[in-house]
């Protein structure tokens, strides 16, 4: 029977190996999804801290990390959306003109949550559709449909912006 210290050492080794393998990808994806390297690193670190607190209860640590990071990114998007609304309101009050569009990332953040998540995992985290489906807990066909919907919506938005 393994002693408590042996189990703790095994857990430490497994957690370290997972960190070395997953952290760079998770932080890079979260950074691209939020538009901030610091936020991406903070989100990845927070996901690992939460995993460590629940290590013995998590069946699939890597999938769990991606889901926690995804939820933290969504929280940040909601906060940014609230800030954008407030900023837009203040700009309109200040000079009576709408604020300028901030580009493709802004358009992506305006997509419905399921589309936005599929887009950021697939295009920003460079995950294959199968891994996006696993991370989101949905069938691959749904993810493919959401990616197609997102591309169509983004194309319309970009067309409207450029007047073509």
């Amino acid at each position: 029977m393994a002693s408590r210290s042996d189990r703790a050492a095994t857990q430490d080794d497994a957690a370290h190996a997972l960190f070395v393998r997953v952290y760079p990808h998770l932080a890079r994806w979260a950074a691209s999804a939020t538009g901030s390297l610091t936020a991406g690193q903070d989100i990845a670190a927070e996901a690992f801290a939460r995993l460590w607190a629940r290590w013995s209860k998590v069946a699939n640590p890597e999938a769990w990390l991606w889901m926690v990071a995804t939820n933290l990114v969504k929280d940040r998007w909601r906060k940014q959306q609230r800030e954008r609304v407030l900023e837009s309101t203040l700009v309109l009050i200040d000079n009576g003109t709408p604020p300028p569009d901030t580009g493709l990332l802004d358009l992506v953040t305006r997509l419905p949550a399921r589309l936005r998540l599929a887009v950021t995992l697939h295009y920003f985290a460079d995950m294959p559709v199968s891994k996006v489906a696993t991370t989101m807990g949905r069938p691959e066909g749904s993810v493919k449909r959401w990616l197609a919907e997102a591309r169509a919506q983004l194309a319309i938005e970009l067309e409207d912006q450029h007047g073509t």
Side-chain angles (χ1 to χ4, degrees):
M1 177 183 261
S3 71
R4 184 177 195 160
S5 63
D6 290 341
R7 284 190 307 269
T10 301
Q11 177 181 334
D12 288 348
D13 291 343
H16 181 264
L18 182 67
F19 182 85
V20 167
R21 185 169 45 84
V22 174
Y23 177 84
H25 304 290
L26 192 63
R28 191 170 40 250
W29 168 75
S32 64
T34 61
S36 166
L37 178 61
T38 303
Q41 292 168 337
D42 289 348
I43 286 169
E46 177 66 21
F48 271 95
R50 291 181 185 188
L51 172 62
W52 183 252
R54 295 163 185 81
W55 184 266
S56 63
K57 298 173 187 163
V58 176
N60 184 340
E62 184 174 350
W64 195 89
L65 282 168
W66 281 99
M67 188 52 61
V68 169
T70 296
N71 289 336
L72 291 169
V73 165
K74 287 180 188 178
D75 289 345
R76 183 166 173 92
W77 284 341
R78 283 189 286 270
K79 180 181 177 192
Q80 287 174 329
Q81 180 63 29
R82 287 189 305 268
E83 289 171 353
R84 259 195 307 275
V85 167
L86 177 60
E87 187 177 294
S88 296
T89 303
L90 293 176
V91 168
L92 285 170
I93 291 169
D94 184 42
N95 63 15
T97 61
D101 195 354
T102 57
L104 184 59
L105 186 57
D106 186 49
L107 293 176
V108 170
T109 62
R110 291 188 225 161
L111 290 170
R114 73 181 189 293
L115 302 182
R116 184 174 54 225
L117 181 56
V119 165
T120 59
L121 289 172
H122 184 64
Y123 292 107
F124 292 97
D126 201 27
M127 281 187 187
V129 170
S130 60
K131 191 167 184 179
V132 173
T134 301
T135 300
M136 294 180 72
R138 300 290 189 231
E140 284 186 41
S142 296
V143 172
K144 289 176 183 178
R145 186 180 72 244
W146 295 339
L147 289 170
E149 286 178 33
R151 285 189 299 267
Q153 285 186 26
L154 291 171
I156 291 167
E157 291 291 328
L158 287 169
E159 201 172 286
D160 288 348
Q161 281 186 355
H162 294 34
T164 52

